[in-house]
Amino acid sequence: GRDEAEEVEAGAMSANMLSFLGVRPVLARSVLPEDTKVGAPKVVLLGYGYWQRRFGGSRDVIGETLTIDGAPHTVIGVMPRDFVLPFLDGGTRQLWFPLTSDPNAVSTHAIAKIRPGVDRAQLDRELTDVVKALAAESPEYKEWNGIAKRPQTATAACSDVRTAQTTPSPVAASSSAASPAAGMRSGLRSATRL
């Protein structure tokens, strides 16, 4: 039933991820910069399928409180039906949280759009240089396992996206070959309705 606990796939997104991809929630709002600050009230966006299945597509879900991993979270929005990040999960994420620094994160991904006229070899070189520089400055990147990027299409988002997977903290990097990146993180969460 609607009030029973269940384990669902979850992801965390930076405040700029949806706008970067040109995507808008179908209901209410996305993550705001203030949502990502330490100590901010806990908020969540629902995946479209989860919203339909658990809440019958009710617009009254906005402002409701869900208990997720034992903590109350306020529902602030609903993701579009066709929102998919194929390089991550093929669309299985049902809950979306603000991306904050979390030492227990499973992985973090950066998303970048390739600038017109830039070939993939140039982008590969620049991304590799960025990660090497991060590894030189920060121990958590020293064990980075190589270039983990693939051209992808994010449904209803953009035509050419690359990812670089790192662990355990978010990456802020710049490249002349790629537009500024947005970030997201993935993992499993347990959710119940209050």
Side-chain angles (χ1 to χ4, degrees), residues 85-164:
L85 295 173
F87 58 84
L88 178 66
D89 63 11
T92 62
R93 303 287 175 227
Q94 297 301 305
L95 300 174
W96 291 90
F97 302 93
L99 179 64
T100 58
S101 294
D102 180 357
N104 300 315
V106 176
S107 63
T108 301
H109 302 265
I111 303 169
K113 295 179 188 176
I114 299 174
R115 293 186 194 270
V118 173
D119 68 25
R120 292 200 172 137
Q122 177 186 353
L123 181 62
D124 289 348
R125 288 188 302 276
E126 289 193 30
L127 286 176
T128 299
D129 290 346
V130 166
V131 173
K132 284 180 183 176
L134 286 170
E137 295 175 18
S138 202
E140 65 261 26
Y141 297 105
K142 289 197 185 302
E143 294 182 27
W144 186 66
N145 61 1
I147 298 174
K149 59 186 180 308
R150 303 175 291 271
Q152 298 290 335
T153 301
T155 303
C158 56
S159 61
D160 201 352
V161 176
R162 292 281 182 119
T163 66

Side-chain angles (χ1 to χ4, degrees), residues 7-20:
E7 189 170 273
V8 297
E9 291 283 332
M13 70 174 95
S14 62
N16 69 332
M17 187 177 93
L18 292 183
S19 62
F20 178 78

